[in-house]
Amino acid sequence: MTNSVIQGLPRWTLVVPPLAFVVLLVTWHRHLGAFLLILVCLGLGAAVIAAVHHAEVVAHRVGEPFGTLILALAVTIIEVALIVTLMASGGEKASSLARDTVFAAVMITCNGILGLSLVVGSLRHRVQEFRVQASYSALTVMTALVTLSLVLPTFTTSAPGPQFSSAQLAFAGVTSLLLYGVFVFIQTIRHRDYFLPVRSGGNSDVDDEEHHAAAPSTRTALLSLGLLFVCLIAVVGLAKTVSPRLESAVESAGAPVAVVGVVIALLVLLPETVAAVRAALRNRLQTSVNLALGSALASIGLTIPAIAIASIWLSGPLVLGLGGKEMVLFALTVVTAMLTLATGRATLLQGAVHLAVFSAFLFLAVSP
């Protein structure tokens, strides 16, 4: 490999992805003792950090908002594959796994990632600015997708329980994919300027550091893109490897089965979390908002169509409808996000409110 290919890439970012993948191969379908469990956790953490680095390299090459879109799409596609795999092997026990994981992803991104970004960013920069047009566009689509895909099944009557009939599921899948496709078109083509980062004062679409830094070469960006996918495969695979231990711990603690979906979503969304926090620390809150809301949109917009297709051969019921507690938390999330995103300026208080809602979600998931 020539120096021109690896220009701008630290050596550790080249070594970590294949090592994490080797750890995945070594531990796949094996009982995890103490040593292997530590190895998996170390590989998982290293893969997350490397994934964020390579995502930033790609983002610098292609520009925003394409960089955050690539990371969100890559993580979500692999997350969907993980959900379908677990549902195929889990039988009736996994009937609500898609719902639990997608709803957890929405709460994690819209409250956890967004709240944490607001808190750490405001602690360093006091007040941060973002574009209201982009944030409200994403929030509108996210609200519609969650309502159509996860709230309506609780009230439909064509199928027993909180489930869609085949025709209703097909409609929800097609609608989700179309809405997400329109949002991506708006984000990347029609109104791309809405999603570009702003400096304090709102006049520049990039910060000075990134504006003056030389963009990586095309070969370096392509290498980073390939290593990003290796990292993300390792992240999701290692998360699946450690999930049996998590399920055992959940059962031993007497916690609800839905906690497994929450833990899976937390693990899978680690790369977006780290990337969003780092962007907020650099006073690029718009990038953090793009990552948080974009990941929520990708999770719903791609998971529901994939589940709709997979349900053709998946046995057992597919429970999608949310319960009353989850609907209240979702409504609170939407109202809180609307108030947070209304002014285009964020402070520590707004971040604290989002983290309080996220804490309530975690607490009620364990103690319903």
Side-chain angles (χ1 to χ4, degrees):
M1 188 178 295
T2 64
N3 289 333
S4 61
V5 175
I6 62 174
Q7 180 182 10
L9 295 180
R11 187 175 299 275
W12 68 269
T13 65
L14 303 174
V15 174
V16 165
L19 281 182
F21 194 76
V22 169
V23 171
L24 173 61
L25 294 178
V26 170
T27 58
W28 188 254
H29 285 314
R30 292 188 61 178
H31 174 72
L32 297 183
F35 174 76
L36 288 182
L37 182 61
I38 293 173
L39 187 63
V40 167
C41 292
L42 290 175
L44 183 61
V48 166
I49 296 171
V52 172
H53 178 85
H54 288 299
E56 290 178 344
V57 172
V58 175
H60 193 185
R61 177 61 187 177
V62 302
E64 290 293 349
F66 294 100
T68 54
L69 179 65
I70 288 171
L71 179 58
L73 280 175
V75 169
T76 304
I77 289 171
I78 301 174
E79 176 192 353
V80 168
L82 174 62
I83 292 173
V84 173
T85 301
L86 291 176
M87 289 186 67
S89 59
E92 183 124 359
K93 232 171 94 175
S95 61
S96 63
L97 180 64
R99 177 200 66 188
D100 296 336
T101 305
V102 170
F103 181 67
V106 171
M107 298 303 291
I108 291 166
T109 52
C110 295
N111 289 311
I113 296 179
L114 182 59
L116 187 59
S117 299
L118 293 175
V119 167
V120 299
S122 60
L123 285 175
R124 173 172 288 188
H125 304 287
R126 295 182 66 85
V127 177
Q128 292 187 290
E129 298 182 356
F130 54 90
R131 301 181 190 272
V132 177
Q133 304 98 318
S135 308
Y136 258 47
S137 299
L139 183 61
T140 301
V141 178
M142 189 271 294
T143 303
L145 286 179
V146 173
T147 303
L148 292 173
S149 303
L150 300 182
V151 175
L152 277 182
T154 303
F155 301 99
T156 55
T157 57
S158 297
Q163 303 177 44
F164 272 145
S165 66
S166 298
Q168 290 169 341
L169 182 60
F171 174 80
V174 172
T175 303
S176 298
L177 196 59
L178 286 176
L179 273 178
Y180 182 67
V182 173
F183 173 77
V184 171
F185 172 72
I186 294 298
Q187 183 184 27
T188 57
I189 299 175
R190 178 61 63 90
H191 295 294
R192 182 189 171 194
D193 55 310
Y194 287 178
F195 298 85
L196 297 177
V198 295
R199 285 190 310 178
S200 181
N203 296 321
S204 176
D205 59 353
V206 292
D207 57 43
D208 289 337
E209 181 182 351
E210 178 164 316
H211 182 73
H212 294 294
S217 66
T218 301
R219 296 180 68 182
T220 300
L222 288 175
L223 176 61
S224 280
L225 182 62
L227 292 174
L228 170 62
F229 275 94
V230 173
C231 288
L232 294 176
I233 291 171
V235 168
V236 177
L238 291 173
K240 183 180 186 300
T241 299
V242 80
S243 62
R245 291 292 296 266
L246 294 173
E247 290 177 6
S248 300
V250 167
E251 291 177 2
S252 301
V257 179
V259 173
V260 176
V262 175
V263 174
I264 289 174
L266 283 169
L267 291 173
V268 170
L269 289 170
L270 273 175
E272 279 106 327
T273 304
V274 176
V277 170
R278 289 179 63 174
L281 288 172
R282 295 199 305 269
N283 202 19
R284 293 169 60 84
L285 187 60
Q286 184 62 55
T287 298
S288 302
V289 173
N290 290 348
L291 273 169
L293 297 180
S295 297
L297 287 173
S299 182
I300 310 167
L302 297 178
T303 300
I304 300 303
I307 294 300
I309 296 173
S311 65
I312 297 174
W313 69 84
L314 286 177
S315 58
L318 177 59
V319 176
L320 287 177
L322 296 173
K325 168 172 60 72
E326 288 77 17
M327 290 185 203
V328 171
L329 285 171
F330 174 64
L332 178 59
T333 297
V334 171
V335 172
T336 304
M338 287 177 62
L339 297 174
T340 296
L341 303 175
T343 63
R345 294 166 64 86
T347 64
L348 177 63
L349 177 60
Q350 293 159 309
V353 173
H354 279 279
L355 288 183
V357 176
F358 180 60
S359 300
F361 162 70
L362 292 179
F363 176 75
L364 292 175
V366 176
S367 179

